[in-house]
Amino acid sequence: MSAQDGVEARNARKVYGTGQEKVVALDNVSIVIKRGEFFTLLGPSGCGKTTLLRLIAGFETPTSGTILLDGTDITYDPPNKRPVNTVFQSYALFPHLTVAQNIGFGLEMRGHAKAEVDSTVEEMLALVRMESMADRKPTQLSGGQQQRVALARALAPQPKVLLLDEPLSALDLKLRKEMQSELKRLQLETGITFIFVTHDQEEALTMSDRIGVMKSGSLLQVGSPREIYTRPADRFVASFIGETNFLTGVLGKDAITLDAGGTLPLGASTQAKSGSKVTASIRPEQIRVIETDAPGSLPATVTESVYFGTDSHCHFALADGTEVVVRLQSPASGDVGLSRGQNVFLRFEPGALMVLEDQA
Amino acid sequence: MSTDSDRLERQRNRNGWLLSTPALVLLAFGATGPLLIMFVYSFLEPGKYGNVIWEFSTKAWFNVFVQRDIFDGTLSPADAHLTILWRSVKLSLMTTIFTFIVGFPTAWFIATRPPRMRTLLLFLITIPFWTNLLIRTFAINQIIRNEGLLNTLLLKLGIINEPLLIIYSDFAVFIGMTYVYLPLMVLPLFASIDRFDMRLVEAGYDLYASRWQVLKRVIVPIVKPGIISGSILVFIPSLGAYVTPRILGGGRNMMIGNFIELQFGQGRNWPLGAALSVILLLIVAVALVVYVRFANRGDSNV
């Protein structure tokens, strides 16, 4: 495998409209997605993730910049000349064809012999566990089944890259969980590069090898789910991926003096200058509630407690009024035993407090 | 409880039937009645000054296909009738095919415009319906006749030296019918293209289909209902066209509609006219059956 293997976007820029109505959908994005990787583009709607996907698929051409596949420039190749297939958000199954004909479509268009098409279709049907549905029409299938067919159809021609455009968004929660592990399994079995687009952070965290977080046409951070979650690059990434608390303070040496009072150690070194005003973040599950004062803890007052089943989200006010949310695992009784107005202490897990670099 | 709801259901059904009675009566008398009269008339003797004599005869049906020489009484195929029949079928088929070729891109264009533009374009398509067919056909006549707009323009521009002899030919009838029936092709095509999910085109391209393959394997099979109804809407009225061939075809290039009119008018041969009418109906019926069969066949082996 050479360094150029995989998909690469170089300064990809896409502008829709002109003059007053000009919209920059993608703003000079550069990214390398390695071969065989499960890569997720994560961001809110309108962040440009689908545009980037469409540039890779070939449905659109960039205003400037290049798209490369295994080192070859494919920027202006039409979609039918690219070894890249898409699983559409709406599935876009051909309603006049049966499940088997849908799956065989790509191979047939490529001019493969009928016997070969048939055997691949069988293989694909088995891969997505839809053998018994081969002769049905898409309208006779449930959403989850259509999803499987769409996957099988896109995988059948054995593309180098599979693009998935929010494929799970139309499914209900239970089915979505099922399909998440199904997708992961398929990716491992086929070894094909998956580029998955979603606005669901949980989906991104559980399935991806790496995640690219996007906002307003720019790529903010690229990294493994763990990196993105524990070391978010900025405020947006920190709040978009999981929930988090923001605390302001003045930076000292490997510690931060909070505006709410107290000096706490930092989890990792930061590029921010000592003595500067910074924002730090800490995840709700990284905070413990204790009854008595201890080193590294802050006094707080309970303002609200919301029951979520597996856990409860308790809201606290610090000395200066800053709100902090703590996630507490529910005990058997379901009651975490905190009442409004109660004074407690919050102990931050050592190393959990992170300074956000963009605040420096 | 269930008997109550059953009774309600029955009553609702009965009321439904009652409500549709006027339409059913109208259909029975307005559509079936005249056809029945035509069928009966075709087996009667012609009266001297039109009308029919109530005597059973198959002469009319015989005369549709065979003619007796007025001097020596020998029998030969009725060339004139067959020529007219063939011309009718040929021109109608040509009109159907050509309106499809022109109408499909038009309908596609309209269906892919933004909603406001689409409404305007559809409105423009329906404008010809505001004017009487006769007047529109005369307008075409003014354009293509020997001293008409087209020839004058081409002569002035020096593109031709002699006027093009278009008027009073099969071609003129074809032009006229294409013009008149084009909206009838465009509207049903638009209706089904409008429902077509454009993302399927992307899916097709994505799965290595060329533009032509996407058209043939994805678009056409899915918008087929529109193609069928458009073709039927154009083919049937063109087959029985009367005004257009009369004005643009002159007296010589009759279609079956004009010929039937002739039998009921100057020809004073009502039974022959009736027999020809029944034949027209049969052609339409056969064409419909063949077309629908043919169109549905594609489904299973795409």
Side-chain angles (χ1 to χ4, degrees), chain B residues 107 110-112 118 189-198 223:
Chain B
I110 298 174
T112 49
R118 201 184 316 179
L189 277 179
F190 167 79
S192 62
I193 293 173
D194 192 37
R195 278 196 307 267
F196 178 77
D197 181 357
M198 290 297 164
V223 303

Side-chain angles (χ1 to χ4, degrees), chain A residues 93-99 102 136-143 145-146 149:
Chain A
L93 295 176
F94 302 123
H96 59 299
L97 302 181
T98 63
V99 166
N102 262 286
R136 298 235 186 139
K137 290 280 176 77
T139 46
Q140 297 167 295
L141 302 178
S142 70
Q145 291 168 333
Q146 289 185 30
V149 178

Side-chain angles (χ1 to χ4, degrees), chain A residues 1 87-88 95 104 123 139 183 213 222 250 261 279 304 307 318 330:
Chain A
M1 187 154 74
V87 177
F88 295 87
E123 246 172 72
T139 46
L183 274 177
V213 185
V222 178
V250 178
T279 302
E304 204 185 351
Y307 181 60
L318 296 181
S330 299

Side-chain angles (χ1 to χ4, degrees), chain B:
Chain B
M1 281 301 130
S2 75
T3 51
D4 270 8
S5 76
D6 280 356
R7 209 179 53 217
L8 251 157
E9 177 82 30
R10 269 200 305 276
Q11 197 180 344
R12 206 170 291 143
N13 283 343
R14 209 164 43 232
N15 289 347
W17 273 104
L18 272 175
L19 284 173
S20 54
T21 320
L24 291 175
V25 169
L26 207 68
L27 262 180
F29 284 92
T32 324
L35 286 180
L36 219 62
I37 294 174
M38 279 298 126
F39 188 73
V40 173
Y41 275 20
S42 71
F43 287 102
L44 297 176
E45 283 279 340
K48 212 169 185 181
Y49 305 103
N51 216 330
V52 285
I53 300 165
W54 284 85
E55 254 171 51
F56 179 80
S57 155
T58 53
K59 218 160 80 192
W61 281 100
F62 186 72
N63 280 341
V64 169
F65 302 103
V66 182
Q67 63 185 5
R68 192 183 294 274
D69 194 290
I70 45 169
F71 296 113
D72 57 16
T74 51
L75 298 173
S76 60
D79 287 339
H81 299 177
L82 296 177
T83 308
I84 289 170
L85 272 174
W86 169 236
R87 180 185 294 127
S88 301
V89 172
K90 185 186 73 183
L91 284 176
S92 305
L93 278 177
M94 280 169 60
T95 305
T96 310
I97 293 167
F98 197 70
T99 50
F100 174 71
I101 293 173
V102 177
F104 191 86
T106 311
W108 185 271
F109 177 82
I110 298 174
T112 49
R113 290 314 97 185
R116 279 184 59 192
M117 183 76 172
R118 201 184 316 179
T119 317
L120 177 72
L121 289 170
L122 279 179
F123 173 72
L124 291 177
I125 291 279
T126 57
I127 280 187
F129 291 126
W130 299 8
T131 315
N132 185 283
L133 172 64
L134 197 62
I135 294 166
R136 279 185 285 149
T137 312
F138 268 117
I140 290 278
N141 185 317
Q142 289 305 304
I143 292 170
I144 61 175
R145 74 193 167 91
N146 293 351
E147 303 83 23
L149 211 60
L150 182 72
N151 277 320
T152 312
L153 196 73
L154 291 177
L155 283 170
K156 282 261 166 70
L157 289 172
I159 295 169
I160 51 170
N161 297 321
E162 283 171 27
L164 297 172
L165 304 176
I166 303 172
I167 194 85
Y168 306 139
S169 67
D170 281 2
F171 186 58
V173 177
F174 166 69
I175 291 177
M177 293 206 302
T178 303
Y179 162 69
V180 169
Y181 296 121
L182 185 60
L184 296 180
M185 179 61 92
V186 172
L187 292 177
L189 277 179
F190 167 79
S192 62
I193 293 173
D194 192 37
R195 278 196 307 267
F196 178 77
D197 181 357
M198 290 297 164
R199 287 170 295 200
L200 295 178
V201 173
E202 280 191 351
Y205 286 143
D206 189 60
L207 293 161
Y208 313 104
S210 62
R211 293 171 77 88
W212 172 246
Q213 281 170 322
V214 167
L215 181 69
K216 203 177 109 205
R217 300 291 302 276
V218 179
I219 299 169
V220 167
I222 295 175
V223 303
K224 205 159 61 183
I227 300 175
I228 293 176
S229 47
S231 302
I232 288 172
L233 280 180
V234 171
F235 182 75
I236 293 177
S238 5
L239 197 60
Y242 172 72
V243 172
T244 312
R246 180 75 189 269
I247 294 171
L248 300 177
R252 290 173 300 153
N253 299 68
M254 269 191 274
M255 283 177 65
I256 188 166
N258 309 92
F259 193 61
I260 290 170
E261 190 264 351
L262 197 64
Q263 300 315 317
F264 281 98
Q266 292 156 308
R268 288 174 194 165
N269 194 343
W270 288 21
L272 180 59
L276 287 165
S277 302
V278 175
I279 283 181
L280 178 62
L281 183 75
L282 285 177
I283 295 174
V284 169
V286 168
L288 278 184
V289 169
V290 168
Y291 195 75
V292 171
R293 278 272 169 80
F294 175 76
N296 281 338
R297 202 192 53 189
D299 260 352
S300 49
N301 61 3
V302 176

Side-chain angles (χ1 to χ4, degrees), chain A residues 14-78:
Chain A
K14 179 71 185 176
V15 181
Y16 292 106
T18 49
Q20 288 279 306
E21 291 161 39
K22 196 165 104 169
V23 177
V24 180
L26 212 58
D27 198 2
N28 293 319
V29 167
S30 294
I31 192 172
V32 179
I33 296 159
K34 286 174 273 184
R35 183 194 277 183
E37 192 171 33
F38 195 123
F39 192 94
T40 300
L41 287 167
L42 177 66
S45 52
C47 70
K49 55 192 193 299
T50 297
T51 305
L52 182 55
L53 204 71
R54 291 176 66 81
L55 292 183
I56 298 170
F59 299 134
E60 318 232 3
T61 50
T63 312
S64 62
T66 39
I67 307 288
L68 298 107
L69 178 64
D70 292 345
T72 317
D73 186 344
I74 56 162
T75 315
Y76 300 104
D77 287 357

